[in-house]
Amino acid sequence: MIKTLHVELNENRYPLFVGAGILNRIGEYLKPCAKSTKALLVTDTFVNHCYAPVVMESLKEAGFNVAIVDIPVGEESKSLEQFARIQDSLVENQLDRGSTLIALGGGVIGDLAGFAAAVYMRGIAYVQIPTTLQAQVDASVGGKTAINHPKGKNLIGAFHQPKLVLIDIETLKTLPHQDLRAGLIEVIKMGVIRDEPLFEMVEENLDAILNLDVEMLIEMIARACANKADIVAKDEKESGLRMVLNYGHTFGHALEALTHYKKYRHGEAVSIGMNCAAKLAVNLEMFSETDFERQRALLNRAKLPLTFPSNLSAEAICDAMSLDKKALGGKLRLILPTRIGEVVIRDDVTDTQIVQAISECY
Ligand SMILES: NC(=O)c1ccc[n+]([C@@H]2O[C@H](COP(=O)([O-])OP(=O)(O)OC[C@H]3O[C@@H](n4cnc5c(N)ncnc54)[C@H](O)[C@@H]3O)[C@@H](O)[C@H]2O)c1
Ligand SMILES: [Zn+2]
């Protein structure tokens, strides 16, 4: 079974394929939308070893002339240095305006290679082949690309939409379980912000999902991507609606920054953040205890963390959250749930209320 979605944006419309064992079809899918047969595959050292051979073979069979850049594994690679390596390879291999860059890997590779494609010759085509659940349900849809600056994550970037996204769920077989669970948070988040049936799908089929049941995963990933595509289509450049995707993330980002991006996977920090945002919403009498408990129970069953570490004070976490505030001209905007399947944007929550909610989440 292969599910095909179409992401609709102003001038761009591109297909997203979700299936099992479809890496070897990349050549066939890319051929009709590529302007030339020159391509560069960007991947990380681990993914290169596991999955690049089948992708390369498929591309070569379809007549593509492909070079590879192998990037060291890890977030540190979202750097100017690795960005420069990709640009060097694009130049050395004489890729031109009609060439295609292919990102094969997790969100790090998608963000880095996407940004390289966004600026080389003022923008060339690129393709996303995400291989982590995090990248499949979140990073690969939406066109946000970026690298990090020593002073902050994703500070240097661009919006650049891919020509196609190919998601092969078979790649999840090699993904460590904890990474699978951390990626699942973005699906649960999508359920809470706008799609109660998706939330229910995860609730009812959690074991099948974690055991990588093929049909279930295809169904769930396609639905999560359709939601993200719909939000992005309505707000491509993040002026309003797209902010709802930040549910749990303002708390989560603060926690990640305070623990120097080492203690938690992104999804784990967001899980704690969602639990706290939901608690805050209960305190503000806009979210029921029953729904709070329903979200808490699902995160708990997925073995995702719910509480802040005792060595960080509620005040310190609240302060770190206000770094987002500076970026938004003085007001901290929080995404808070009103029920499972609906959130609102609030900019009137006080620090006292935030500290109170955090202190109830240890
Ligand atoms: N652009 C966006 O909208 C967006 C959204 C969310 C996250 N992101 C970015 O995504 C990044 C995180 O993505 P990630 O969690 O995929 O991290 P990642 O790319 O670092 O991958 C995590 C680890 O999994 C390994 N890996 C990849 N595929 C594998 C597979 N199939 N089997 C086994 N191991 C595999 C990688 O080698 C790496 O060690 C962050 O940099 C974040 O900023 C971007
Ligand atoms: Zn996230």
Side-chain angles (χ1 to χ4, degrees), residues 44 46 73 75 78 106-108 111 131-132 134 144 171 174:
D44 76 25
F46 179 84
V73 165
E75 181 72 25
K78 274 174 62 171
V108 164
D111 278 12
T131 60
T132 62
Q134 162 69 49
K144 277 199 199 176
T171 59
T174 51

Side-chain angles (χ1 to χ4, degrees), residues 280-288 336-339 343-344 346:
L280 176 56
V282 171
N283 293 351
L284 295 172
E285 296 182 351
M286 53 188 280
F287 191 54
S288 71
L336 298 179
T338 50
R339 59 177 174 81
V343 286
V344 293
R346 292 277 299 254

Side-chain angles (χ1 to χ4, degrees), residues 256-271:
E256 284 184 283
L258 288 171
T259 53
H260 311 286
Y261 299 92
K262 295 225 160 28
K263 186 174 162 80
Y264 300 99
R265 287 169 174 75
H266 169 71
E268 292 167 343
V270 171
S271 174

Side-chain angles (χ1 to χ4, degrees), residues 33-340:
C33 56
K35 288 196 196 132
S36 90
T37 52
K38 274 225 159 148
L40 182 72
L41 182 75
V42 179
T43 188
D44 76 25
T45 308
F46 179 84
V47 177
N48 189 0
H49 172 73
C50 295
Y51 301 112
V54 50
V55 169
M56 287 296 277
E57 195 182 316
S58 166
L59 289 166
K60 282 179 184 158
E61 251 172 41
F64 286 94
N65 173 4
V66 204
I68 291 200
V69 185
D70 184 320
I71 304 287
V73 165
E75 181 72 25
E76 299 74 32
S77 285
K78 274 174 62 171
S79 63
L80 279 171
E81 185 193 344
Q82 298 304 326
F83 169 80
R85 278 190 60 216
I86 299 174
Q87 298 299 333
D88 289 347
S89 183
L90 287 163
V91 175
E92 278 158 22
N93 290 291
Q94 298 174 343
L95 271 83
D96 58 26
R97 280 172 197 283
S99 308
T100 308
L101 195 153
I102 299 155
L104 172 70
V108 164
I109 292 300
D111 278 12
L112 170 70
F115 182 55
V119 296
Y120 181 66
M121 292 193 167
R122 301 193 186 85
I124 61 167
Y126 85 112
V127 166
Q128 292 266 24
I129 312 180
T131 60
T132 62
L133 185 59
Q134 162 69 49
Q136 292 175 349
V137 296
D138 193 3
S140 67
V141 185
K144 277 199 199 176
T145 73
I147 56 174
N148 302 328
H149 183 275
K151 293 268 187 228
K153 250 178 86 83
N154 298 330
L155 286 185
I156 307 160
F159 285 99
H160 189 49
Q161 301 295 341
K163 282 280 175 268
L164 74 87
V165 181
L166 184 142
I167 297 174
D168 186 344
I169 60 149
E170 294 258 319
T171 59
L172 299 177
K173 283 185 178 164
T174 51
L175 194 69
H177 238 236
Q178 252 187 302
D179 287 306
L180 189 70
R181 293 168 192 278
L184 191 61
I185 195 71
E186 305 289 357
V187 180
I188 300 173
K189 174 195 79 179
M190 198 60 90
V192 178
I193 64 180
R194 72 199 306 265
D195 189 352
E196 192 193 8
L198 176 60
F199 186 93
E200 205 173 303
M201 185 193 286
V202 180
E203 261 178 337
E204 286 175 3
N205 301 285
L206 184 64
D207 292 341
I209 292 164
L210 294 174
N211 288 322
L212 303 183
D213 178 275
V214 170
E215 305 238 320
M216 203 54 244
L217 273 180
I218 293 177
E219 195 73 36
M220 180 192 82
I221 292 172
R223 188 159 180 140
C225 290
N227 269 294
K228 180 135 188 214
D230 187 46
I231 293 178
V232 173
K234 291 179 178 141
D235 180 18
E236 187 179 354
K237 300 276 164 75
E238 201 166 34
S239 44
L241 175 69
R242 199 164 168 166
M243 266 172 35
V244 298
L245 293 167
N246 279 338
Y247 175 51
H249 281 61
T250 313
F251 292 93
H253 287 153
L255 187 55
E256 284 184 283
L258 288 171
T259 53
H260 311 286
Y261 299 92
K262 295 225 160 28
K263 186 174 162 80
Y264 300 99
R265 287 169 174 75
H266 169 71
E268 292 167 343
V270 171
S271 174
I272 296 171
M274 280 171 52
N275 189 53
C276 190
K279 170 61 77 183
L280 176 56
V282 171
N283 293 351
L284 295 172
E285 296 182 351
M286 53 188 280
F287 191 54
S288 71
E289 283 280 359
T290 318
D291 280 349
F292 171 80
E293 184 48 35
R294 191 175 166 200
Q295 178 187 278
R296 199 200 61 78
L298 181 56
L299 300 179
N300 195 38
R301 278 175 60 215
K303 296 202 177 69
L304 284 159
L306 293 160
T307 54
F308 292 102
S310 56
N311 63 333
L312 292 179
S313 72
E315 288 76 15
I317 296 166
C318 181
D319 281 352
M321 285 169 70
S322 60
L323 286 179
D324 282 28
K325 185 156 61 176
K326 285 192 199 117
L328 288 168
K331 289 219 156 141
L332 183 61
R333 295 203 183 128
L334 287 175
I335 312 303
L336 298 179
T338 50
R339 59 177 174 81
I340 302 289

